Amino acid sequence: TSPATVVTVSPAPQAVASAAGPTSFCNGGNVTINANTGTGYTYQWYRNGAAVNGATNASYQAASGGNYTVIITLGTCVSTSAATVVTVLANPAVTVSPTTSTIQKFQTQTLTAAGASSYNWAAQSALVSSTITAGVVKPLTTTTYSIEGTDNNGCKATATATVTVIGCGDVTDITTTAYSPSRVSVKWKNPQG
């Protein structure tokens, strides 16, 4: 009979990763993925099978799309979590035209937006009217408008347009009074003075 060979089976650590928020978000967002904790556990996070440099905590903040897993080590035993799929949605490419324009005071300018499904026309100053893709503005001084567009995923982007206001505006409400064949008094309401 041989001497006894002692075999020790150490329990493998559990490896479970769960997202603390939505895993599908707009570009510029992120989601925190948490791994289960345990005494003596060490961690290494992976994105698409490649180790993430410096990602050795029990949680990881993912800002890029991909499949995230965590390998948990306890002694010589390792376990790998199931993948958490993170999807980053592209922000819309919002444009506004014209990007620069010049109007006389008291005139209007139409700004037309493209690239999204809705826009924040109601938030614009000196707004006269609007449709889904266009806003008519009537600023009294030079104004830069920041138009925010939202796509069907709820992702947002902005574009700017500057309306330069010049002059005193069109002369309005002109009245004349004749005093003689060579003298006439002319009055108007705008521009003042």
Side-chain angles (χ1 to χ4, degrees):
T1 304
S2 71
T5 299
V6 179
V7 176
T8 302
V9 178
S10 300
Q14 286 189 328
V16 178
S18 57
T23 56
S24 179
F25 48 83
C26 301
N27 188 30
N30 59 66
V31 63
T32 298
I33 308 172
N34 297 309
N36 57 297
T37 58
T39 302
Y41 284 9
T42 59
Y43 305 88
Q44 177 60 61
W45 290 90
Y46 288 77
R47 175 178 174 264
N48 296 333
V52 179
N53 188 35
T56 57
N57 294 321
S59 63
Y60 179 73
Q61 194 173 75
S64 301
N67 297 331
Y68 289 87
T69 56
V70 62
I71 290 181
I72 297 178
T73 302
L74 177 61
T76 59
C77 300
V78 296
S79 292
T80 304
S81 71
T84 299
V85 180
V86 173
T87 303
V88 177
L89 305 171
N91 291 329
V94 175
T95 60
V96 177
S97 61
T99 56
T100 58
S101 57
T102 301
I103 61 172
Q104 290 283 335
K105 193 173 183 179
F106 300 114
Q107 291 183 344
T108 61
Q109 176 64 51
T110 300
L111 302 176
T112 304
S117 54
S118 64
Y119 305 91
N120 66 334
W121 296 117
Q124 303 307 314
S125 62
L127 182 71
V128 176
S129 63
S130 66
T131 62
I132 293 176
T133 59
V136 179
V137 294
K138 188 180 181 180
L140 299 181
T141 59
T142 297
T143 304
T144 297
Y145 290 90
S146 181
I147 310 301
E148 181 181 75
T150 305
D151 67 11
N152 292 328
N153 294 317
C155 298
K156 302 176 185 295
T158 59
T160 59
T162 300
V163 179
T164 302
V165 179
I166 62 173
C168 301
D170 295 329
V171 176
T172 60
D173 296 328
I174 299 173
T175 59
T176 59
T177 303
Y179 292 106
S180 71
S182 60
R183 281 186 69 221
V184 176
S185 171
V186 180
K187 295 182 179 179
W188 59 88
K189 288 187 176 181
N190 179 69
Q192 295 294 324

